[in-house]
Amino acid sequence: SEASVAVLGASGYTGAEITRLLALHPGVSVRAITSERSAGQPFGQVFPHLRESFFSQSRAGAGADKSDRVMNLELQKVEDVDWDKVDSVFCCLPHGTTQEIIAGLPSGKRVVDLSADFRLKDVDVYAEWYGAPHKAAALQEEAVYGLTEFKREEVAGARLVANPGCYPTSIQLPLIPLLQRGLITTEDIIIDAKSGVSGAGRGAKQNNLYVEIAEGMNAYGITSHRHVPEIEQQLNEVLPSGQAARISFTPHLMPFSRGMQSTIYVKLSSGASVDELRAVLSEQFEPEPFVHVLGRGEIPHTRFVRGSNHCLIGVFEDRIEGRAIIVSVIDNLVKGASGQALQNMNLMLGFPEETGLMQIPMFP
């Protein structure tokens, strides 16, 4: 049966992206879209790229009631949503505001939260890194971390899924299998990551103005980025008791709208080889629809995954003996956010995991 969905925070980039993906999903009807700052405006007016005429041959068919299409819905405030018409929720609100809103939803609603509010299992760690106490500790205990390729069974049975961050997704996908097999050491993991500006959100900020971003790049959050505890938490989950991974992580802001590359420098365990790393990752992800390990010498580019839910991984031998370099690329708004959220919701609703997500990457 068709699922009825609400998108909270639909006027931001991740909210608009999940709505774009849902517009042609064969098993989902979007019943409510919210925005505090744009309430009362038609969605197609806020995002003209999702105007109704673009979807005239949608799954609903030309004779269907056009008022039922997401492009014709008006944005409204969260408190005005008719929850009797909704069974599932994508929450695309900023961290810090999400906890109380999700805690206040009617019971029984399935929720995928795209903020950071439910990713960290320890609420004290959350308070340390996000600068405020967690306001829904009981909900945190039931939240499932939704790195889909490794959490399918848990996600399918969950009521609340914490969608991973964009950087953590690109980093964990290649590192988890290698740490599980003991092929790389837990120390001396160095990550140089780069993201398009959309990763900083749609809010007006001086640092994201065109003149501030164009024709340059810059590091930020050096030693203090909030994705560090999320990444280490999930890497440590797959390690034997008594072992812990520590990462050196530096993100950079790049002058393009979407795309993400994580270049990961690792130390090989005794007896391991770069070819073995590539072989293990290829075996791990061979059956996966969205994660692809490239052959020897092939270099992933962010433009190869633009607009898609795919992740490309390349493995290379470092010129320093005993080390390897892993390059992982995703679209930060799709596999790094809204696409993975839909992947998770598909599992929660019993749809095939790839439903609504088989878009071919856009190039150029």
Side-chain angles (χ1 to χ4, degrees), residues 312-330:
L312 298 183
I313 297 171
V315 184
F316 306 89
E317 188 168 3
D318 199 333
R319 61 184 294 272
I320 300 174
E321 186 176 356
R323 298 191 64 88
I325 302 169
I326 302 165
V327 179
S328 174
V329 299
I330 60 173

Side-chain angles (χ1 to χ4, degrees), residues 150-168:
F150 297 99
K151 298 285 187 176
R152 283 191 173 94
E153 290 187 11
E154 296 96 321
V155 166
R159 187 185 75 86
L160 171 60
V161 169
N163 211 59
C166 47
Y167 286 124

Side-chain angles (χ1 to χ4, degrees), residues 127-324:
E128 176 187 350
W129 284 84
Y130 286 87
H134 203 286
K135 299 175 183 177
L139 270 181
Q140 177 58 61
E141 293 180 4
E142 70 169 284
V144 170
Y145 187 80
L147 189 64
T148 321
E149 283 74 16
F150 297 99
K151 298 285 187 176
R152 283 191 173 94
E153 290 187 11
E154 296 96 321
V155 166
R159 187 185 75 86
L160 171 60
V161 169
N163 211 59
C166 47
Y167 286 124
T169 296
S170 67
I171 292 163
Q172 293 174 65
L173 284 171
L175 287 187
I176 284 176
L178 301 180
L179 288 169
Q180 281 180 321
R181 301 284 191 96
L183 295 176
I184 60 174
T185 66
T186 56
E187 73 276 358
D188 206 13
I189 299 173
I190 302 169
I191 303 162
D192 179 325
K194 298 175 175 65
S195 175
V197 185
S198 60
R202 202 181 184 206
K205 304 169 189 173
Q206 179 178 315
N207 290 344
N208 296 341
L209 295 174
Y210 176 81
V211 174
E212 308 288 334
I213 294 295
E215 302 177 29
M217 61 174 283
N218 63 274
Y220 67 99
I222 299 174
T223 74
S224 61
H225 196 281
R226 290 163 168 170
H227 283 169
V228 168
E230 178 184 344
I231 295 166
E232 291 185 342
Q233 169 186 275
Q234 296 308 125
L235 296 183
N236 291 337
E237 187 178 90
V238 305
L239 291 172
S241 178
Q243 292 190 30
R246 296 277 285 173
I247 64 169
S248 176
F249 171 66
T250 305
H252 301 76
L253 195 61
M254 303 298 290
F256 47 79
S257 61
R258 59 164 79 204
M260 176 166 286
Q261 174 174 307
S262 291
T263 304
I264 308 167
Y265 304 87
V266 296
K267 184 177 179 181
L268 301 177
S269 297
S270 179
S273 69
V274 171
D275 286 340
E276 189 176 3
L277 266 59
R278 187 182 303 107
V280 164
L281 290 175
S282 297
E283 178 186 1
Q284 175 78 41
F285 294 119
E286 190 279 330
E288 296 291 344
F290 299 119
V291 185
H292 316 274
V293 180
L294 304 185
R296 184 192 303 226
E298 288 188 78
I299 301 175
H301 293 203
T302 57
R303 64 178 178 269
F304 297 164
V305 297
R306 180 179 171 88
S308 80
N309 199 51
H310 295 288
C311 172
L312 298 183
I313 297 171
V315 184
F316 306 89
E317 188 168 3
D318 199 333
R319 61 184 294 272
I320 300 174
E321 186 176 356
R323 298 191 64 88

